[in-house]
Amino acid sequence: MQSFTSFFKRKILRIDRDRWNYQYDKGLWDGLKGLDELARFSVIVGYIKHLKPGQPEILEIGCGEGFLQQRLQSQNYGRFVGLDISDSAIETARVLADEKCTYLVADMDKHQPTVQFDMIIFNESVYYSKHPVKTLQRFATYLKANGFLIVTINDHKHSDELWQSIKTAFDLFDEATAITSKSTCICNVLLPKGAA
Ligand SMILES: C[S@@+](CC[C@H](N)C(=O)[O-])C[C@H]1O[C@@H](n2cnc3c(N)ncnc32)[C@H](O)[C@@H]1O
């Protein structure tokens, strides 16, 4: 009965949360831990340490099982808030969280932060929003003065189009490309228009 309910919610009602929980529970996203995913995390970690050295306050949207926070390491953030639509992913992320971390189950299309951040990061997640550019613009209003948005998108057939609309809405501060044996991932550091 439980598996029928899960099937019904995922396939018939198409509830995102159930779909993502199912995929995490089945281990379908275990590949994100792989060495061939390390480069994109390392690029983000490098940007954070260089642009906001010390104890930045960071929000990660679509944080999955918390790999960015784990790779960044506790001494490089003052506060780390991660949110994801999947309860399963967040439960796993909480296992390796420290007292400076808060992991929340939330939908990026609805969530409203209550504080501001030095960096807001969408690492392979923004394209799951119903309105990616509007979502980035909405979250950008939760950046502190001199704050940055960091967005990564793996190269795929629609990524150029998405980058074009993102670059129309934001000022590009810097760009890096991580190429691995598995994929090519573009990472942009963005500023709200006119903030530079
Ligand atoms: C490709 S995974 C990337 C996970 C993590 N950022 C990483 O790089 O390992 C995309 C993540 O976005 C989350 N996600 C999808 N739709 C979401 C939504 N509407 N709100 C919040 N998170 C969402 C998924 O649960 C998943 O963890």
Side-chain angles (χ1 to χ4, degrees), residues 19-131:
R19 194 156 45 85
W20 283 102
N21 280 339
Y22 174 83
Q23 292 177 6
Y24 274 108
D25 290 344
K26 286 273 172 200
L28 302 183
W29 290 100
D30 283 355
L32 295 175
K33 297 176 198 154
L35 196 56
D36 47 14
E37 296 282 347
L38 180 65
R40 69 186 166 90
F41 289 104
S42 304
V43 168
I44 300 174
V45 168
Y47 275 133
I48 295 172
K49 287 164 79 170
H50 184 81
L51 296 171
K52 294 286 173 191
Q55 299 281 296
E57 301 196 302
I58 295 170
L59 172 63
E60 187 189 4
I61 311 293
C63 61
E65 296 179 316
F67 300 141
L68 179 64
Q69 171 250 318
Q70 293 153 26
R71 283 164 176 70
L72 181 58
Q73 301 182 318
S74 189
Q75 69 271 21
N76 296 308
Y77 54 82
R79 179 185 169 131
F80 193 104
V81 179
L83 72 87
D84 200 283
I85 201 164
S86 162
D87 325 57
S88 295
I90 289 297
E91 216 172 281
T92 307
R94 284 179 181 150
V95 174
L96 290 179
D98 59 42
E99 70 288 351
K100 294 190 277 180
C101 298
T102 308
Y103 278 109
L104 306 168
V105 178
D107 182 342
M108 70 173 98
D109 286 327
K110 297 182 185 151
H111 181 73
Q112 295 191 345
T114 51
V115 294
Q116 296 201 302
F117 294 89
D118 295 296
M119 292 229 168
I120 301 181
I121 297 162
F122 291 76
N123 186 14
E124 295 309 312
S125 61
V126 74
Y127 38 83
Y128 295 112
S129 167
K130 291 189 173 64
H131 305 285

Side-chain angles (χ1 to χ4, degrees), residues 133-148:
V133 178
K134 279 190 188 160
T135 296
L136 289 174
Q137 287 175 314
R138 191 170 66 77
F139 276 100
T141 65
Y142 296 98
L143 282 173
K144 294 183 195 176
N146 306 316
F148 294 96

Side-chain angles (χ1 to χ4, degrees), residues 122 126-127 132-134 136-137 149 151-153 159-172 188-191 193:
F122 291 76
V126 74
Y127 38 83
V133 178
K134 279 190 188 160
L136 289 174
Q137 287 175 314
L149 271 186
V151 179
T152 78
I153 301 176
S159 54
D160 283 353
E161 206 182 310
L162 180 53
W163 276 128
Q164 256 185 343
S165 39
I166 292 173
K167 284 176 180 172
T168 307
F170 289 89
D171 288 335
L172 179 64
N188 276 197
V189 181
L190 302 165
L191 289 171
K193 278 262 174 228

